[in-house]
Amino acid sequence: MNDAAASHPVQATVVDFINATNAFDIERALALFSTIAVIDDPSTGCTFNKHAGVREYLEKYFVGYHTVTRLLSLEGLGDVRARVRVDFTGDFGHEIGLLLVAVDPAGRISRIDASLE
């Protein structure tokens, strides 16, 4: 990851999210999200809304598949958005993912648009 990305305002939240999901700590990961957050992941065929939906997504696709995530790069898109490229491994094998992450004024994740390469 380059030096500009390391100082981007969204970077700490992304790193906290990856650390929480790698520890399979759903409560810690969920605390990083706004109560009205949305995760849109076409690879699942679903959009996950609010804390209940985010919890379902994390439990099914991170805990359920033993997903481990490694940050490959982070590109800032203004102060509240970033394009994050990650390496996913788990029971499904290996995938490279792209996450467009947006945070609210409190620094909580308000939206993730996820896709696979």
Side-chain angles (χ1 to χ4, degrees):
M1 195 165 60
N2 63 35
D3 291 336
S7 63
H8 189 273
V10 178
Q11 191 250 355
T13 301
V14 168
V15 169
D16 288 347
F17 172 72
I18 290 171
N19 289 338
T21 58
N22 284 348
F24 307 113
D25 188 339
I26 298 302
E27 296 307 318
R28 191 169 92 199
L30 195 60
L32 298 169
F33 285 82
S34 156
T35 59
I36 58 170
V38 173
I39 297 176
D40 185 10
D41 186 345
S43 73
T44 67
C46 296
T47 299
F48 300 86
N49 296 298
K50 301 182 180 177
H51 267 192
V54 171
R55 177 185 296 281
E56 176 187 355
Y57 181 81
L58 297 173
E59 288 175 349
K60 186 171 185 176
Y61 297 105
F62 285 84
V63 175
Y65 286 99
H66 303 105
T67 300
V68 174
T69 306
R70 183 170 56 97
L71 179 63
L72 298 175
S73 65
L74 185 144
E75 174 190 356
L77 304 171
D79 288 342
V80 297
R81 294 180 48 230
R83 180 178 292 114
V84 181
R85 190 166 179 258
V86 294
D87 179 275
F88 292 120
T89 56
D91 293 346
F92 53 84
H94 175 256
E95 296 284 350
I96 300 295
L98 182 64
L99 309 174
L100 297 176
V101 179
V103 296
D104 67 12
R108 285 187 228 96
I109 299 168
S110 59
R111 184 174 183 93
I112 295 178
D113 290 287
S115 60
L116 299 174
E117 286 187 355

